[in-house]
Amino acid sequence: MELTNLILNNIPAGEVKTSFNKDSNDKKVYIETYGCQMNYSDTEIVLSVLSDFGYNETGDINDSDVILLNTCSIREHAEHKIYKRLDDLKKYKVRNPNLIIGILGCMAERLRDDLLEKRKIVDVIVGPDEYRKVPHLIDNAIETGEKGIAVKLSRVETYDDIAPLRREGVTAWISIMRGCDKFCTFCVVPFTRGRERSRNSANIVNEAKRLFDEGVKDIWLLGQNVNSYLYEDKDFSGLLKDVAVAVPKMRIRYTTSHPYDLSLKLLETMAEHKNICNYIHLPLQSGSDRVLKSMNRLYTVEQYMNVMKKSREMMPDIGLSTDIISCFPGETEEDHKMTLDVIREVRYDGAYTFVYSPRENTKAFFLKDEIDQDTKTRRLDEIITLQRKISVDINKELVGKTKSVLIESLSRKSDEFYMARTDCNKSVIIPIETGHVNESGVLKMKRTYKIGDMVNVRINKANSATLFGEAA
Ligand code: 5AD
Ligand code: SF4
């Protein structure tokens, strides 16, 4: 394999030609996705672009001509995982020297030079705004043996015209905006995914309608900061309302929100439309104003608490979850206790908790990180333990109650159970077969519902992450 870098950044998106055409190409692509929902949604875009050039997805890595990893850079650990996976992939390349290995996503953007120089098995590197070029870069690598790289960020690319290639299921993602302009001082996203841009609102509504016609029952509107969605004069609450009205039988959720941009109008829209789920994921990051300022989060704890209070007033059953970064540089014991206080006060249904991970290029990278490892482990543990206790308490309060759930899939742990979800985003495990006693007094097992059904379920058991129930 030659080491010439093929820089395709001067080819305008949409003008990329490839010598493979849909009918003559029989190449199989195996793709692994890491990181956030945005990445999973992007994988569907990449698969769609590839299928236009005749590439078919395979679930069998041993049978693939191309292996793609759609990567995440949010924390150091996420990147280590990819480097380790690349080491694993060497054996496939030894077995099949013609195999093409590609890195997509945030790591492609951030670590292109490192990947090219130090990971010789990587043939193709494509950043989040260059996915239209993936087929061409792969074709070129196959034909000439040259490496391909395309990592330019765009101010306009939203893949608005591309119909994502979805896997079967009753849940689907619709990406509504890309990028982020918030520049939280710890976060690499504005560097790896570039500036904010929003998709045409009419196209989003049409996509929701099409999905409903195809049998989808639950959609997630996705973006790095959906609350700053703006297309012409349509803001996020306007878009959400349009979608809710266009597909009144569809469950609608969204993520991720930034407290600074979450408007009263959005809460009103949520309260007004029954099919918009009663659930908000609102990252707090820290319960200390001093730390929030250093993180450039643009809100105070008081302002954040007001949003929480207002949401509960307007939607008493609302499910609330958050993200927390523990041990940001300079975080004192006092700051840490303030975070625990907010967790206690809000009583979140769940939280994603992380120890701060320094990321090159970000402002926080230059702050002194003087917190020792034992303290980091202890503080994170205190947050997790507290949140777990709250989640268990909240979930146990639901035992004996009846909830309406959407059956989404088979349970991951057993094919005798379904995984269903409440309006507030709690997963509920229910048996596939329900028993009924016939006229002769014999217990017969009968399947009464299927994936995609809305079912009333009586909750009979709960732990911190999952509810268990039976059809009511
Ligand atoms: N270190 C730790 N956690 C981070 N997050 C983002 N950047 C970092 C970082 N450098 C977390 C934030 C964000 C979530 C997606 O990931 O909590 O909300
Ligand atoms: Fe990162 Fe902050 Fe943007 Fe979220 S809002 S993606 S944490 S910069």
Side-chain angles (χ1 to χ4, degrees):
M1 185 81 37
E2 280 178 44
L3 281 177
T4 338
N5 296 350
L6 180 72
I7 309 289
L8 280 170
N9 288 339
N10 55 349
I11 303 177
E15 283 187 21
V16 177
K17 297 280 184 299
T18 173
S19 56
F20 286 77
N21 68 50
K22 204 175 167 92
D23 303 324
S24 68
N25 191 4
D26 59 354
K27 297 270 183 286
K28 295 197 194 85
V29 180
Y30 174 87
I31 182 159
E32 283 176 10
T33 309
Y34 297 79
C36 62
Q37 283 161 310
M38 232 17 225
N39 261 12
Y40 284 83
S41 165
D42 279 359
T43 288
E44 295 178 339
I45 287 167
V46 172
L47 286 172
S48 172
V49 173
L50 280 167
S51 83
D52 284 346
F53 292 95
Y55 287 90
N56 289 312
E57 190 190 10
T58 172
D60 179 3
I61 192 167
N62 291 300
D63 184 38
S64 61
D65 304 290
V66 181
I67 299 175
L68 300 175
L69 306 183
N70 193 356
T71 63
C72 169
S73 279
I74 198 93
R75 284 168 290 276
E76 201 180 2
H77 175 70
E79 292 185 347
H80 278 163
K81 222 155 93 183
I82 298 294
Y83 279 130
K84 215 174 138 282
R85 187 65 181 133
L86 279 175
D87 289 340
D88 291 345
L89 294 184
K90 274 185 197 149
K91 60 174 184 272
Y92 297 99
K93 193 90 165 182
V94 170
R95 233 180 275 160
N96 171 13
N98 295 325
L99 178 73
I100 298 296
I101 295 183
I103 294 287
L104 313 178
C106 291
M107 268 178 85
E109 196 60 50
R110 208 181 86 73
L111 294 167
R112 54 196 181 232
D113 299 333
D114 193 58
L115 286 164
L116 271 177
E117 282 159 26
K118 301 202 191 121
R119 305 286 153 153
K120 303 280 186 247
I121 66 162
V122 176
D123 305 295
V124 170
I125 299 175
V126 190
D129 286 346
E130 300 265 41
Y131 292 147
R132 290 176 199 267
K133 293 174 185 165
V134 171
H136 177 84
L137 290 166
I138 294 175
D139 292 352
N140 194 69
I142 292 172
E143 284 179 349
T144 68
E146 286 174 336
K147 294 199 181 230
I149 172 164
V151 291
K152 205 167 160 192
L153 288 170
S154 159
R155 285 186 177 264
V156 292
E157 180 63 274
T158 59
Y159 302 111
D160 194 38
D161 57 316
I162 294 177
L165 201 72
R166 295 197 159 89
R167 295 180 178 120
E168 262 182 40
V170 293
T171 295
W173 297 294
I174 302 183
S175 160
I176 62 162
M177 54 88 66
R178 300 179 73 82
C180 182
D181 289 352
K182 280 286 173 292
F183 285 93
C184 300
T185 58
F186 52 79
C187 187
V188 80
V189 167
F191 304 96
T192 58
R193 286 187 164 266
R195 300 286 59 75
E196 272 175 20
R197 64 223 103 112
S198 298
R199 270 183 73 192
N200 180 315
S201 54
N203 291 349
I204 295 170
V205 170
N206 285 335
E207 192 170 336
K209 282 189 194 157
R210 187 168 45 77
L211 286 169
F212 185 75
D213 292 342
E214 288 168 10
V216 169
K217 301 279 167 63
D218 172 284
I219 48 174
W220 286 86
L221 303 185
L222 290 187
Q224 243 72 45
N225 174 13
V226 289
N227 303 130
S228 66
Y229 173 90
L230 189 65
Y231 183 77
E232 293 171 348
D233 55 358
K234 185 83 63 193
D235 64 6
F236 182 58
S237 51
L239 173 75
L240 195 59
K241 184 177 174 177
D242 288 356
V243 177
V245 170
V247 281
K249 294 212 170 111
M250 181 84 94
R251 267 192 174 182
I252 304 159
R253 310 168 191 278
Y254 61 86
T255 199
T256 275
S257 295
H258 190 295
Y260 179 82
D261 297 309
L262 198 145
S263 65
L264 186 61
K265 201 169 136 217
L266 174 62
L267 297 180
E268 283 164 359
T269 308
M270 289 177 73
E272 209 172 293
H273 296 273
K274 283 269 159 297
N275 57 331
I276 303 176
C277 286
N278 258 338
Y279 170 66
I280 303 181
H281 177 75
L282 198 63
L284 166 72
Q285 312 300 5
S286 169
S288 152
D289 283 343
R290 206 182 53 80
V291 175
L292 287 176
K293 191 155 199 296
S294 177
M295 288 175 162
N296 189 35
R297 286 294 287 181
L298 311 172
Y299 54 85
T300 62
V301 173
E302 192 187 347
Q303 287 164 333
Y304 180 93
M305 292 306 282
N306 278 339
V307 179
M308 296 277 105
K309 210 169 126 232
K310 212 71 221 139
S311 352
R312 281 220 169 104
E313 271 169 27
M314 296 169 76
M315 294 162 276
D317 284 340
I318 196 157
L320 296 171
S321 62
T322 198
D323 291 343
I324 286 169
I325 298 180
S326 177
C327 299
F328 186 75
E331 183 190 82
T332 61
E333 207 51 35
E334 200 54 34
D335 296 321
H336 167 62
K337 290 207 170 99
M338 289 177 182
T339 300
L340 294 174
D341 285 344
V342 175
I343 295 173
R344 251 180 239 116
E345 203 176 331
V346 174
R347 287 189 91 228
Y348 293 104
D349 292 270
Y352 298 91
T353 49
F354 316 100
V355 167
Y356 166 72
S357 168
R359 309 278 63 211
E360 260 174 89
N361 284 328
T362 62
K363 273 202 174 156
F365 188 74
F366 302 98
L367 298 173
K368 262 220 173 89
D369 179 8
E370 282 170 337
I371 305 171
D372 62 71
Q373 193 48 51
D374 284 353
T375 306
K376 287 182 180 174
T377 310
R378 175 187 50 82
R379 284 186 191 166
L380 183 69
D381 194 54
E382 284 175 9
I383 293 172
I384 292 173
T385 307
L386 172 64
Q387 181 53 51
R388 197 167 286 155
K389 171 147 189 356
I390 294 169
S391 299
V392 170
D393 289 350
I394 293 177
N395 287 350
K396 291 243 189 273
E397 283 162 22
L398 294 173
V399 172
K401 299 212 164 109
T402 299
K403 293 271 154 198
S404 169
V405 300
L406 172 70
I407 302 179
E408 287 190 1
S409 59
L410 282 175
S411 152
R412 253 179 296 157
K413 290 194 182 146
S414 160
D415 56 11
E416 290 174 15
F417 291 87
Y418 284 130
M419 198 283 283
R421 214 174 272 278
T422 68
D423 183 48
C424 304
N425 206 38
K426 288 183 190 290
S427 42
V428 187
I429 302 299
I430 57 173
I432 288 181
E433 306 262 294
T434 51
H436 79 116
V437 178
N438 72 7
E439 313 83 64
S440 327
V442 179
L443 179 69
K444 291 272 184 197
M445 301 311 281
K446 195 172 116 201
R447 181 173 299 202
T448 50
Y449 36 68
K450 57 184 185 313
I451 291 171
D453 285 352
M454 288 286 283
V455 186
N456 281 331
V457 164
R458 206 178 120 86
I459 309 300
N460 51 31
K461 211 169 79 181
N463 62 33
S464 66
T466 314
L467 304 172
F468 301 84
E470 281 195 37

